[in-house]
Amino acid sequence: MHEFYHGSLIFLAGLALLTFISGFWITNPYGRHMTPGQRFTLPALPAWLIFESPQVWAFTITFWWLADDPSAVQLALYALWQSHYIYRAIIYPLRTHKRGKRFPVSGVVFGFLFNALNGFVNAYAVVHAPHLIQTWFADPRFLIGLAVAVVGWWINFQADSILIGLRDDGSDGYKIPQGGLFRWVSSANYSGEIMLWCGWALMSWTAAGLIFALFTIAKLGPRALSHHRWYRATFADYPAQRKALIPGLL
């Protein structure tokens, strides 16, 4: 098990690097970047439920299989992970207007495998981290990481709500999002998600948490730039002051 964990970390670190490099050349063809008549797709709602769900059960199975007597800190990290992914894997897709949308089968397969492996390594890391004892609650890394994660989650949730609200009138097309962090960036939802997992990496202080944060940046950073170019090419009145991901910088 220990060897599999370390091998998985190396694999995920390499995948993060490959994802970052390829992201500047290839934009994953889902959402607004799908091409008309794209083949090998599934309905978006069940697709989302399938590929996100491993983060819930892989983390849960690994955690409770390996944790004989989890500390309060480990239980808190478990609860935070589960709270986010129950929202992300179940509540979020049910909130969206994804009925009638499609999602590539390749994305579902990749997402399922990655999320299962990522859930495993993060749960394994939390269970075996010797520093995650009662005193860790007062450690600056935990406190700062928790604050960053909570702010990131709120930005992400608010951005989700704004994007979902754009289709409350029953329309199916894309519009310019307004409000929240969208006042300054094109991909506020990605900004929030990156903050969330950077906070997790800090508060858990594990190699698995760090690699997941780097993978999130590697995946969403280039995609945010693609979104930004798409918005500017699609809408003549798109706000010129907006950046792609980081207010005032990028």
Side-chain angles (χ1 to χ4, degrees), residues 47 173 214 240:
L214 293 175

Side-chain angles (χ1 to χ4, degrees), residues 154-173:
W154 172 249
I155 290 172
N156 183 256
F157 178 81
Q158 183 187 53
D160 285 347
S161 298
I162 290 170
L163 292 172
I164 292 169
L166 294 177
R167 292 177 177 165
D168 280 347
D169 60 0
S171 63
D172 195 39

